[in-house]
Structures are given as C-alpha cells and as structure tokens.
Amino acid sequence: MIMNKKKSEEGLTVKKEENFSEWYQQLIVKSELADYTPVSGCIVFRPTAWGIWEKIRDEVDKKIKKMDVKNVYFPMFIPESLLKKEQEHVQGFAPEVAWVTQTGDAKLNERLAVRPTSEAIMYNSFSKWIRSWRDLPLKYNQWSNVVRWEFKYPIPFFRTREFVFNEGHTVFATKKQAEKEAMPIINMYKEILEKYMAIPGFIGKKTDKEKFAGAEYTLTIESYMPNGKAIQGPAFHHDGQNFSRAYDIKFLDENRKEKYAWQNTWAISTRMLGVMFAIHSDNKGLILPPKLAPNKTVIIPLLFEKNKKVLEKAKEIFKRLSKHNPILDDRSEITPGRKYNEWELKGIPLRIEIGPKDLEKKQVIIVRRNDGIKKEIKFKDIGKEVDENLTEIQEGIYKKADKLLKSALDKAENFNELLKKSGNKKIVLVPLCKNPECEDWIKEKTKGAKTLNIPLEQKPIKGKKCIWCKKPADYWVYVGKSY
Amino acid sequence: MIMNKKKSEEGLTVKKEENFSEWYQQLIVKSELADYTPVSGCIVFRPTAWGIWEKIRDEVDKKIKKMDVKNVYFPMFIPESLLKKEQEHVQGFAPEVAWVTQTGDAKLNERLAVRPTSEAIMYNSFSKWIRSWRDLPLKYNQWSNVVRWEFKYPIPFFRTREFVFNEGHTVFATKKQAEKEAMPIINMYKEILEKYMAIPGFIGKKTDKEKFAGAEYTLTIESYMPNGKAIQGPAFHHDGQNFSRAYDIKFLDENRKEKYAWQNTWAISTRMLGVMFAIHSDNKGLILPPKLAPNKTVIIPLLFEKNKKVLEKAKEIFKRLSKHNPILDDRSEITPGRKYNEWELKGIPLRIEIGPKDLEKKQVIIVRRNDGIKKEIKFKDIGKEVDENLTEIQEGIYKKADKLLKSALDKAENFNELLKKSGNKKIVLVPLCKNPECEDWIKEKTKGAKTLNIPLEQKPIKGKKCIWCKKPADYWVYVGKSY
C-alpha cells in the first residue's frame, strides 16, 4: 500500500505536447486537484481545487453584489410538470436529467428532476413575487450544484455530471433594461478570467443553433486549449420573454397595464477550473496563477547538516511572508530534490530555498514555477521581491496563454481554406449566412468544427459570401474544433 | 393581483403566545425569509435568510480554517452499495433517502442516493488517500445541500427535506487525538450561536438511544424554543473506528503496524436559522441579531412637506452609516407609519427617523426594533450611538433568550414531578439509568418528552435512582418535549 502511495507521488509520465488527454488526467490526479469516485462522471474536488473555486466565487460575489444582485437558494428538485413548461428549455435538458423516483421505500407520484439549471423552479416563485413595476428589477443569484447526465466520455472538471456554478437570474420591466446588463456581466466574467485565472478569451454572440435552450441570444467567452480545441466559458443569456410567458411572470406597469417581464441568466462554472489547469500547466505538473493559489510560496531549508540556524531563518521568513500563506517544508526524511519535484507537481508559484551558504551571504534563492527563473535575493528585500515576482508570474502566464490564443486566430473566405486551417488547430473567422444547415455541413465536412461565436464588433460583411452555401453572408463568425 | 401583494405585506394576524405554529409560518412568509415551493417540504431561502446563512458560513469557515481544516467538495450522489457499508448508519438514514433511478430515458443499474450526509462517499476516498501516519490528521469540511425525506409535517427551516449544512470529517491516528477535537469544535459552535445568532444553549452528551447513527457518542448544543420545546442544534460526533472499519480506512503507524483510523464528524445546519427567527421575533414581525442582519438600519426621512433639506440630510446620514449597509426609504407614495410597519415586519434592527423639526434641533430619532426604545440623537453623535445601540440590541436579545431558557430549566427526582414539569414546558434534569427502555417509557407516559443531553459536568449521582425503573441511576440527563 505504501508502494501505491509512492507511485502516485511520482511525476507525470507523459508529455503535454505528445498525449494531451493522458497528460491532463495524470495532472489532475497526481497534483491532487481531484479524484475519481464510484459515481461515474462525478469527481471529488480536493482542497486545492476547491480553495481556488471558493476564491473565484468570492470575487464574482463581490462584483455582482456591487451590481445589486442578491444571493438566494432554491430547492434542487424540480417537479417534472414544472420543468416541462418551457418547451425549448426542456428539450435541451431532458435527455440529461437525473430523476428521483423513490424516497425511502415509497414511489413518488411525480418524478423530481435534480436541477440541471434552476429556471423552472425559480421562475415559478418569481411569478408569485412580481406584481408591479415597483418589484423590478429583481436580481437574484445562486451558487449551486447541478447535474447533467452527459453520455460523452467524462473528463475531470471539463465534463462532469455534477458540477457547481453561479446562476444569475434577473428580471426587468423592459427589453432595453434587460439588455443593458449584458456587457457589464460578460465583462465582469472576462475580468475574472483574465485577472484571476490568467485565461484570455474572446467575447461574441452564439449563432441561433448554438445558443442556450430557451434564450433569445447568448453571449459567451470562448477560450483556447493547448490541444487546439476551443472551449466555451462563462455565458450571458438574454431570454427575452420566453420564460416569462411560459412561467407567467407578469407585472402591472406604471400605467397599470399588464406586461410580461424580460429576463437574463448568466453563469460561470467549475468547468473553467479545468481550462485553467490545462492551459498553464507543464510536464512537471501544475502551474497556478498566484492570485488563486491557496499557498503562494514554499520555503525549503536545506538541512543536510541539520543546521539549526538555517531552520530558524526559514521560520522567520515563513512568518514574514504569512500574507502569502506559505508552506514551510522542514521534513527531514525527504531530500530537497524530492521536495522540489513535489511542490512543482503541486503548482506552488514560488519556491524559496535557503542553505548554510545563503545564510552567510544573507540571501535566499527564489525559483519561479512558471518559467524556472532563479534569483538570489537579499534577506532585506524578500518581502518586496516575493510580491514583485508573484505579480510577474501572474502576468507571465497570462501573456503566454494570450500568445497561444492569438497564434491560433486565423481567417478564411473559402471552405477549403477553413477545412485546412480548422484541421490545423486554428480558430477561423469566416463569413456565414444564418441558415443552420450550413453549420451542420461545416461540422460534418470538417469532422467537428463548429461555430464558436460572432464577434460583437464586425468587420464589413457586405459582398461576402457564406463559406458553405455561397449565398450572401450575414456575419463573420469564429469556427473551430471545440469541447 | 396587486391586492394579493398588499395582503401579503400586511402584518402578522396571530399572536406568538396564542398560536405559535401559525405565527411562525406567517412570520417566515410575510417577512420574506422563505417561501413554499411546488416541491413538498422544500423551501426557497430568500435574500435575507440566505444572506444570514452566508454570514454564519463565513464565520464558521474562518474559525475552522484556523484549526487547519480544509474545504473540499464531494459528489452528492452515493451508490446504494456504498451507503450500505456501515450498518447502523444506513439503518438510520435509509427510510429518508431520495433515490435517483433514471437518467434521461435510461434506467440506472444501481440506485444513487441523494446524500443525506456524506460519510459513505467521503470515507471511500479517505481509504484511498490515507496510507501512513504522515497522512494524518486529515481534516476536511464541506458545505453541502443534503436531502432527508422526512415524513413528519415539514416546517420552514426547522424541518425541510432539503437543507444545507457544514459537514466536518476529520481522521486521526489515535482515539485520544480524535477526542481532543471535541471541545474546541462544540465550543466553536457555541460561540457562533451565542455571539452571532444570540441563541443560548446547553452542551451535553446524547444518550446511546439518541446519538447519531454510526457514532460512538454525540455531543450537542440544545436550545429552547418559545413554545416550550427543546431543539437540537450543532453536533459533534466521535465515530471511534466504526466507519474506518466499514470503509477500510487504515494506515501504517510509526512502527509500520497497520491500524484503523479514528474519526469525528460535526455539523451546523440551516435548521438553526428557524430557531433564531422563532426565538427573537415578536408579534410585529422579525427580530434579527444586528451582527447577522444584512441591513442593520433603515433611515426614514419624514417628507410630508417634500422638504428637500430633510432628504439631503437623510442621504448624508446614509453615507455616514455605510458600514452598516443601511436602507434609505425615500418612497413618497407610502406614509411613514406604513414604512415603520414594513421594516419592523422585516426585522431591521434600528430605525432612524428624521423630520423638519429634527433638522432644526440637529438631531434624529432612533428606534430600536427589539425593545422599542426611542432616543433623540444629535447629528454629531450618530456614528457612535448607532454602534452602541446595535451592540445593546445584540446583547439585549441574547439576554432575553437566556432568561427564557434559564426559566425553563428545572429538576425532578420522581416521575410524577417530571410528568408535571415536562407537561408545563420545562426542561427537566433527572437521574436516569442506561437502559434505553426507560427512555421509551418516559417518552410514552409524558406524551413525547425525551432525553436531550447529559451535562458534561455531572452533579453527584451516587445513591440516586433512575426516575423510571428506580434502579441505581447512571447520570443526570435533561428531559423535555423536543422537535
């Protein structure tokens, strides 16, 4: 049994650039971010991964509270009849719903869906609570676990059958007011991705074919994975009056006229954790953005000679750096080299080494996890230098990811060009018409490339032809292989 | 429809002392803490209730993180075979389990329990992760939603089929180390109850009959409800090696000898919100402890004459008090009297009134929600006075609840005395032997009184006789009607 443990502590045995999928799965398990469970497709979020999610939750929470959004909690069960009220919505989710049919020994009269998302249960209450224009806007958010029993091959974080997300549900008196929320919300998410997760992305509108089940339109942030696939990130959906008509959310306006309300929904999910781990990490293991890493530094005293003074100094530095929640690795049964490997695997952003010679020179050695840069730092400068290096790591990994994304963005105006580029891991901006069949054909002929999103700022489209049917194009849209 | 809304805005129509149960249900709905849903026994936590729970969560979180506990997240589904591994545990929970049997159109091969608690799913992973004494102690916690499909009449917060709690799960190398955690944890919960929720309680050990399914023993904090019933609050369970044997959690000790680990679990749930609302509130509506109230003050300018200067001053005060997250109620279509009623119903701890005459006298009027005390406060003293009065409200409602609890504590040494006192809403300390049949008889003969807990500090028991069977008593234990 001890052997097993040792085995799992070993580093990654495959290379990211050679077998991305196997590399990712080893990374997730060996760096102790997650583990598999006896429930197929459901993972454990271990402390590092969950600590990062809590930090993201807190940052999103702060931002949306400033926008007057209030947190609530609705039941996770949704009676079947309620779920079925909005047709497009239920068609989108029904194939993936987990159903509770029994409690104790008794059979339920009506099946209960474990929420795949909470529109149905929330909007039933909204219709009771909203009576007059004075009750609007109503801006609620919930942090919840949801279940979508996908039958595709599950991947930790990316595609799990239970995942956790925020679901913002807002209600307005007019379409204009509802739509005014779109950019602040999607930009708020973009800031979380860029500033905290160090993930670049591009904002755009989904085609009708790819929008959320029940929405009038969907805005998303799409990102780019190191294996050449795009992945959808946080999303904002303007639902128009689709749900308010289905769930009877009416109000009396200032002229005492009865009207249906206008709604939005928006979300960021734990799926993004997987994107973050995959984008930044390398063949040594995990690389984490310092702003989200639960422990930002590890201090390793070199104790070959059991030098008491080295350990004392290490402890002093440990205290000085307490705001970074450092780890002091003073284990004597493990060699420094093995410690380096272990903490590199686990993604501690900055390593601080101190040995007897350093003590003489009144210095430590710092080693950056992301780029391996080593520096000698005088004791007196440690605080400032650690701050600066953590900032540089945060910026450095963002820049690297941004470079990768930018190198993948391309353009095509005829199908052969698209075929070649999408097969070559590019995200390709193409002119397209609104006919969903063109999207079907593209997907089939490219073996999987689909529309990602339509940039909000469009280059001139007049005179351009749809890349598939060659009729006049309606918009420029990004197309690529995607998760 | 507008009429319905108005009706629901009206105050409580029954008195707490006359019909507690109806008063409580009106309180919860009319003060907008919760609402019923189409899912029987499951409620919506509206913003005030959920905001309070988030504050409790954050405070508990801070305290347990200082004890080196780390947060994790495990799947909410538990395969039936896994749940059944610990016999006492499954017998305790099986009758209340909600079972997922279908996903999409497909029938599952094995039923999945929606977690009633997470021992089964967590300990399966613990047994993989724990190999050596170096992996211990392992201290994990999870904030999760759980389902126990009780068939008793559901009551908002108190008895809901889905509720939310923290579940601490800790693993140690020795029984001594595990037990050392008991008092710090139960005292941490007591501090949360007393300091934040203003709920007094008494700590003790459950009898074997009443302990947690699977535990070796259970410590609880019991509180006293205004209707004369006791209610169990946060609990600490020492599980001994019951679960480690059932789920095979073994480790090699320092002598490389294989041993089973020792475990604890501990929890506080949203049930306590109901206790808090019920204990403090009155016939005007909700009373909240200022430390947990999302909005601590409401400022009401008296605008009969549309006095611009009054409104300006109110806005200035609003800004000055921003740390208390005040509400400025400047609605012109509603009379001040109706505003008072509304905010009293909703439990804002402190009301600040300002009218033209106050402006002249450079003062405001403050009115305390809990005891109705009114004071004239000079503008320059507002900050200090608001702070002081909020502190006094917090202390005042605790003292009132503590007085109520103390007045209910009583003692009996013969059964007739117990019968009389427990029928008279007392919590009665009695001598009892360990035979569970005595507890059964007491419950039957008193029409519901059961053992609450055994105080940790025992008065001399030698020579005392069991209040039921009259054989030598083993301990003093509190007995009373209970939820």
Side-chain angles (χ1 to χ4, degrees):
Chain A
M1 280 162 93
I2 284 283
M3 291 305 292
N4 282 340
K5 178 73 179 174
K6 272 187 185 153
K7 199 164 158 50
S8 80
E9 272 173 9
E10 273 172 19
L12 310 179
T13 59
V14 290
K15 291 203 169 5
K16 186 176 184 180
E17 56 278 14
E18 288 171 6
N19 185 343
F20 176 79
S21 163
E22 169 65 16
W23 167 85
Y24 177 77
Q25 303 210 28
Q26 280 197 16
L27 174 77
I28 295 306
V29 174
K30 292 192 175 182
S31 65
E32 299 184 356
L33 292 168
D35 203 353
Y36 299 99
T37 70
V39 193
S40 159
C42 295
I43 59 166
V44 187
F45 290 73
R46 299 182 73 175
T48 301
W50 194 250
I52 289 170
W53 178 248
E54 284 186 333
K55 177 82 179 154
I56 292 169
R57 178 195 71 189
D58 290 347
E59 293 301 329
V60 170
D61 231 36
K62 261 190 254 168
K63 287 177 196 291
I64 64 178
K65 275 175 182 158
K66 277 188 195 152
M67 299 162 113
D68 292 322
V69 176
K70 287 184 169 141
N71 284 351
V72 291
Y73 187 75
F74 278 75
M76 74 158 138
F77 293 140
I78 306 174
E80 184 167 15
S81 56
L82 202 58
L83 189 66
K84 285 189 168 164
K85 279 197 173 180
E86 213 288 336
Q87 276 310 310
E88 277 185 45
H89 185 64
V90 71
Q91 278 164 27
F93 286 106
E96 296 177 356
V97 166
W99 294 103
V100 171
T101 61
Q102 302 166 353
T103 58
D105 292 328
K107 198 168 172 286
L108 289 173
N109 289 327
E110 183 180 12
R111 294 195 296 178
L112 298 173
V114 181
R115 64 181 160 222
T117 173
S118 299
E119 279 77 0
I121 188 84
M122 284 190 173
Y123 299 170
N124 182 66
S125 290
F126 288 7
S127 87
K128 280 166 65 186
W129 299 337
I130 294 169
R131 297 296 176 201
S132 122
W133 61 275
R134 288 200 181 89
D135 301 320
L136 298 175
L138 180 147
K139 299 186 185 183
Y140 285 172
N141 174 66
Q142 168 169 296
W143 293 92
S144 53
N145 54 337
V146 289
V147 171
R148 299 180 189 173
W149 209 262
E150 298 206 40
F151 291 92
K152 285 186 213 165
Y153 185 67
I155 309 169
F157 300 110
F158 284 110
R159 196 154 57 214
T160 53
R161 287 170 168 175
E162 179 185 1
F163 61 93
V164 172
F165 72 172
N166 96 287
E167 39 179 334
H169 294 267
T170 53
V171 192
F172 298 86
T174 67
K175 184 175 176 67
K176 200 174 157 190
Q177 284 167 22
E179 291 193 284
K180 213 176 145 186
E181 195 190 45
M183 291 317 295
I185 290 290
I186 204 81
N187 284 330
M188 176 275 292
Y189 285 135
K190 192 140 194 279
E191 196 185 332
I192 295 288
L193 260 56
E194 288 178 357
K195 204 169 142 191
Y196 292 89
M197 307 184 84
I199 300 176
F202 51 97
I203 293 174
K205 192 189 265 194
K206 286 281 182 191
T207 62
D208 278 353
K209 183 175 150 58
E210 297 289 340
K211 72 182 182 186
F212 178 70
E216 196 173 303
Y217 62 80
T218 289
L219 302 181
T220 61
I221 307 172
E222 307 278 332
S223 294
Y224 183 68
M225 295 282 288
N227 63 342
K229 281 190 182 177
I231 185 157
Q232 182 189 313
F236 169 91
H237 313 292
H238 173 58
D239 301 325
Q241 295 179 318
N242 289 344
F243 288 101
S244 66
R245 287 177 190 276
Y247 291 90
D248 200 34
I249 307 177
K250 285 182 291 201
F251 66 98
L252 287 183
D253 74 3
E254 288 175 83
N255 305 315
R256 302 191 59 82
K257 232 183 116 179
E258 200 171 65
K259 288 189 172 163
Y260 285 105
W262 299 83
Q263 293 180 266
N264 300 326
T265 57
W266 29 273
I268 182 171
S269 81
T270 46
R271 154 180 277 217
M272 286 313 290
L273 294 178
V275 179
M276 182 176 84
F277 301 141
I279 287 183
H280 304 311
S281 302
D282 64 16
N283 292 327
K284 288 181 179 175
L286 194 59
I287 294 179
L288 291 175
K291 279 198 182 167
L292 295 179
N295 306 98
K296 299 190 203 325
T297 71
V298 57
I299 302 158
I300 302 183
L302 307 179
L303 300 167
F304 322 96
E305 305 147 44
K306 304 224 173 187
N307 189 324
K308 233 183 167 183
K309 280 184 184 163
V310 168
L311 185 58
E312 269 167 28
K313 193 71 195 176
K315 283 183 181 167
E316 185 197 315
I317 294 166
F318 175 76
K319 275 182 201 156
R320 267 175 76 185
L321 296 179
S322 64
K323 71 167 175 176
H324 298 301
N325 202 17
I327 293 164
L328 174 64
D329 188 350
D330 57 359
R331 289 176 292 178
S332 56
E333 71 277 13
I334 296 173
T335 63
R338 215 177 126 194
K339 290 182 187 179
Y340 299 168
N341 291 343
E342 184 178 331
W343 298 117
E344 281 173 351
L345 177 61
K346 290 187 178 167
I348 307 297
L350 201 64
R351 182 170 82 225
I352 300 174
E353 306 167 7
I354 176 167
K357 277 182 192 161
D358 299 311
L359 201 62
E360 275 168 32
K361 291 157 95 180
K362 297 190 178 175
Q363 68 172 28
V364 295
I365 311 285
I366 64 168
V367 185
R368 287 157 43 153
R369 173 64 185 90
N370 63 320
D371 52 18
I373 287 176
K374 251 187 178 178
K375 290 179 190 172
E376 294 175 351
I377 305 294
K378 292 291 169 200
F379 287 157
K380 65 177 174 51
D381 299 327
I382 289 180
K384 190 173 71 75
E385 286 283 345
V386 167
D387 284 355
E388 282 176 15
N389 277 279
L390 289 173
T391 303
E392 284 173 30
I393 295 169
Q394 182 82 29
E395 291 167 359
I397 63 175
Y398 176 78
K399 273 182 200 155
K400 195 178 163 193
D402 195 44
K403 211 175 142 187
L404 183 74
L405 169 62
K406 294 228 165 88
S407 75
L409 296 181
D410 211 327
K411 203 176 151 183
E413 295 198 32
N414 69 66
F415 184 75
N416 278 340
E417 213 182 335
L418 169 62
L419 187 66
K420 197 177 140 196
K421 286 177 173 172
S422 78
N424 203 14
K425 302 184 176 181
K426 297 288 185 187
I427 293 177
V428 193
L429 193 65
V430 305
L432 199 75
C433 78
K434 280 180 177 163
N435 185 351
E437 282 175 24
C438 292
E439 289 180 60
D440 291 337
W441 278 114
I442 288 171
K443 199 168 176 182
E444 192 182 315
K445 293 293 174 185
T446 58
K447 288 177 185 154
K450 60 183 191 181
T451 60
L452 303 172
N453 65 24
I454 304 163
L456 301 182
E457 286 183 24
Q458 286 276 305
K459 293 177 189 181
I461 192 70
K462 217 182 153 183
K464 300 290 176 188
K465 286 173 183 169
C466 172
I467 200 159
W468 182 255
C469 71
K470 293 177 186 143
K471 286 179 189 156
D474 292 303
Y475 37 65
W476 289 94
V477 59
Y478 280 114
V479 171
K481 304 274 172 80
S482 176
Y483 271 91
Chain B
M1 280 162 93
I2 285 283
M3 291 305 294
N4 281 341
K5 178 72 178 175
K6 273 188 186 153
K7 199 164 158 47
S8 80
E9 272 173 7
E10 273 172 19
L12 310 179
T13 60
V14 290
K15 290 201 168 10
K16 187 177 185 180
E17 56 279 15
E18 288 170 6
N19 186 343
F20 176 78
S21 163
E22 169 65 16
W23 167 85
Y24 177 76
Q25 304 211 24
Q26 281 197 16
L27 174 79
I28 295 306
V29 173
K30 291 192 174 183
S31 65
E32 298 183 356
L33 291 169
D35 204 353
Y36 300 99
T37 70
V39 192
S40 161
C42 296
I43 59 166
V44 187
F45 290 73
R46 299 182 75 175
T48 300
W50 194 251
I52 290 171
W53 178 249
E54 285 186 334
K55 177 80 180 156
I56 293 169
R57 178 195 71 189
D58 290 347
E59 292 301 329
V60 171
D61 232 36
K62 261 189 255 168
K63 287 176 197 292
I64 64 178
K65 275 175 182 160
K66 276 188 195 152
M67 299 161 113
D68 291 323
V69 175
K70 286 182 169 146
N71 284 350
V72 292
Y73 187 75
F74 278 76
M76 73 158 139
F77 293 140
I78 306 174
E80 185 167 13
S81 56
L82 203 56
L83 190 65
K84 285 189 168 164
K85 280 198 175 179
E86 212 289 335
Q87 276 310 310
E88 277 185 46
H89 185 64
V90 72
Q91 277 165 26
F93 287 106
E96 296 177 355
V97 166
W99 293 104
V100 171
T101 61
Q102 302 166 355
T103 57
D105 292 329
K107 197 167 174 288
L108 290 173
N109 289 328
E110 182 181 13
R111 296 194 296 179
L112 298 173
V114 181
R115 64 182 159 220
T117 175
S118 299
E119 278 78 359
I121 188 85
M122 284 191 174
Y123 300 170
N124 182 66
S125 290
F126 287 8
S127 88
K128 280 166 65 187
W129 299 337
I130 295 169
R131 298 294 176 202
S132 121
W133 61 276
R134 287 199 181 90
D135 300 319
L136 298 177
L138 180 146
K139 299 185 185 185
Y140 284 171
N141 174 66
Q142 168 168 296
W143 293 93
S144 54
N145 55 338
V146 289
V147 172
R148 298 179 190 174
W149 208 263
E150 298 207 40
F151 291 91
K152 286 186 211 164
Y153 185 67
I155 309 169
F157 300 110
F158 284 111
R159 195 153 60 213
T160 53
R161 286 170 170 176
E162 179 185 1
F163 62 92
V164 173
F165 72 173
N166 97 285
E167 41 179 334
H169 294 266
T170 53
V171 192
F172 299 85
T174 67
K175 184 175 177 65
K176 199 174 157 188
Q177 284 167 23
E179 290 193 283
K180 213 175 146 187
E181 195 189 45
M183 292 317 296
I185 289 291
I186 204 79
N187 284 330
M188 175 275 292
Y189 284 136
K190 193 140 193 279
E191 195 185 332
I192 295 287
L193 260 56
E194 289 178 357
K195 204 169 144 193
Y196 292 90
M197 307 183 85
I199 299 175
F202 50 97
I203 293 175
K205 191 188 265 193
K206 286 281 184 191
T207 61
D208 277 353
K209 183 175 150 56
E210 297 289 340
K211 72 183 183 186
F212 178 70
E216 196 173 302
Y217 61 80
T218 288
L219 303 182
T220 62
I221 307 172
E222 307 279 331
S223 293
Y224 184 68
M225 295 281 288
N227 64 344
K229 282 190 182 176
I231 187 157
Q232 183 188 314
F236 169 91
H237 313 291
H238 173 58
D239 300 325
Q241 294 180 319
N242 289 343
F243 287 101
S244 67
R245 287 176 190 276
Y247 290 91
D248 201 35
I249 307 176
K250 284 183 289 199
F251 67 98
L252 286 182
D253 73 3
E254 289 176 82
N255 306 315
R256 301 190 61 81
K257 227 183 120 179
E258 198 171 65
K259 288 191 173 163
Y260 285 105
W262 299 84
Q263 292 180 268
N264 299 325
T265 57
W266 29 273
I268 182 172
S269 81
T270 47
R271 151 180 279 219
M272 285 314 289
L273 294 178
V275 179
M276 182 176 83
F277 300 141
I279 287 183
H280 304 312
S281 302
D282 64 16
N283 292 326
K284 287 181 179 174
L286 193 60
I287 293 179
L288 291 175
K291 280 198 180 166
L292 295 178
N295 306 99
K296 300 190 202 325
T297 71
V298 56
I299 301 158
I300 303 185
L302 307 179
L303 300 166
F304 323 96
E305 304 147 45
K306 303 222 171 185
N307 189 324
K308 233 184 165 180
K309 281 184 184 162
V310 169
L311 185 58
E312 271 166 26
K313 193 72 194 177
K315 283 183 181 166
E316 185 197 314
I317 295 166
F318 175 76
K319 274 182 201 157
R320 268 175 73 185
L321 296 179
S322 63
K323 72 167 173 176
H324 298 301
N325 202 16
I327 294 165
L328 175 64
D329 188 349
D330 59 358
R331 289 175 293 178
S332 56
E333 72 276 13
I334 295 174
T335 64
R338 217 179 123 193
K339 290 181 186 178
Y340 299 168
N341 291 344
E342 185 178 331
W343 298 117
E344 281 173 351
L345 177 62
K346 289 187 178 168
I348 307 297
L350 201 64
R351 182 170 83 225
I352 300 174
E353 305 167 8
I354 176 167
K357 277 182 191 161
D358 299 310
L359 201 62
E360 275 168 31
K361 291 157 94 178
K362 299 189 176 175
Q363 68 172 29
V364 295
I365 312 285
I366 64 168
V367 185
R368 287 157 45 153
R369 174 63 186 90
N370 63 321
D371 53 17
I373 287 175
K374 250 187 175 173
K375 291 179 188 171
E376 294 176 349
I377 305 293
K378 291 293 169 199
F379 287 156
K380 65 177 174 51
D381 299 327
I382 289 179
K384 189 173 72 72
E385 285 282 345
V386 167
D387 283 356
E388 283 176 14
N389 277 277
L390 289 173
T391 303
E392 283 173 29
I393 295 170
Q394 182 82 29
E395 291 168 357
I397 62 174
Y398 177 77
K399 274 183 199 155
K400 196 180 160 192
D402 196 43
K403 213 175 139 185
L404 182 74
L405 168 62
K406 294 227 165 91
S407 74
L409 296 181
D410 211 329
K411 203 174 151 182
E413 294 198 30
N414 70 65
F415 185 73
N416 277 339
E417 214 183 335
L418 169 61
L419 188 66
K420 198 177 139 195
K421 287 176 172 172
S422 79
N424 202 15
K425 302 184 176 180
K426 297 290 184 185
I427 292 177
V428 192
L429 193 66
V430 305
L432 198 76
C433 78
K434 280 181 178 163
N435 185 350
E437 283 176 24
C438 293
E439 289 179 61
D440 291 337
W441 278 112
I442 288 171
K443 198 168 177 182
E444 192 181 316
K445 293 294 174 185
T446 58
K447 287 176 186 152
K450 61 182 192 181
T451 60
L452 303 172
N453 65 24
I454 303 164
L456 301 182
E457 287 184 24
Q458 286 275 306
K459 293 177 189 182
I461 192 70
K462 217 181 155 185
K464 300 290 176 187
K465 286 173 184 169
C466 172
I467 199 159
W468 181 255
C469 71
K470 295 182 183 132
K471 287 179 189 156
D474 291 304
Y475 37 65
W476 289 95
V477 57
Y478 280 114
V479 171
K481 302 274 171 78
S482 175
Y483 272 90

